[in-house]
Amino acid sequence: PVTLGQATAEDLLKARADGVVVIDIRREEEWQDTGIIEGAATITAFTASGRVHPEFLDKFQELVPSPDTPVMLYCRTGNRTGSLGNALIDQLGFTNVTHLSDGITGWLSEGRETTPYAD
């Protein structure tokens, strides 16, 4: 069975260099708070109340056109991308989904840089 890949910051940098689609699934206020990882697309996956954002899937499928397109997700701590990544695999049949296991919190704790979010 396909499982959700676990990634470190180094893995993300390598994936980005290889052209993997990197998506920050947090909410806009979070992007403004910490900035985003350079090169990441921003698509909110969950509303503040924890429901799946109504526009998420359409926007996701614009960036990830086929089930085998490699994609790497990140959120704040890896919680949301853990559940979302598994849902993309189990319910929608995506086969190449990885997430930044420690989220942007881990990225920043390693002293890595972000770029300011501009909408």
Side-chain angles (χ1 to χ4, degrees):
V2 176
T3 56
L4 176 64
Q6 306 293 325
T8 63
E10 285 300 318
D11 295 331
L12 186 146
L13 291 171
K14 182 179 184 312
R16 185 179 70 187
D18 291 343
V20 171
V21 179
V22 177
I23 303 176
D24 184 325
I25 68 149
R26 299 176 300 155
R27 294 185 303 278
E28 185 170 2
E29 67 269 19
E30 295 178 281
W31 301 329
Q32 290 168 342
D33 185 38
T34 60
I36 63 170
I37 295 172
E38 190 174 349
T42 50
I43 311 176
T44 298
F46 298 102
T47 63
S49 63
R51 295 179 188 275
V52 173
H53 194 283
E55 294 172 9
F56 172 76
L57 201 56
D58 286 344
K59 291 182 176 181
F60 181 84
Q61 288 178 316
E62 282 174 27
L63 287 177
V64 186
S66 76
D68 55 357
T69 302
V71 61
M72 184 174 295
L73 309 171
Y74 73 90
C75 61
R76 189 171 68 87
T77 60
N79 265 347
R80 282 174 278 179
T81 50
S83 49
L84 179 67
N86 283 313
L88 289 168
I89 292 166
D90 297 340
Q91 297 169 26
L92 297 171
F94 286 88
T95 58
N96 199 336
V97 185
T98 306
H99 81 125
L100 188 60
S101 305
D102 296 329
I104 200 157
T105 305
W107 176 272
L108 293 169
S109 73
E110 293 181 19
R112 297 180 185 272
E113 297 197 347
T114 58
T115 187
Y117 169 70
D119 49 15

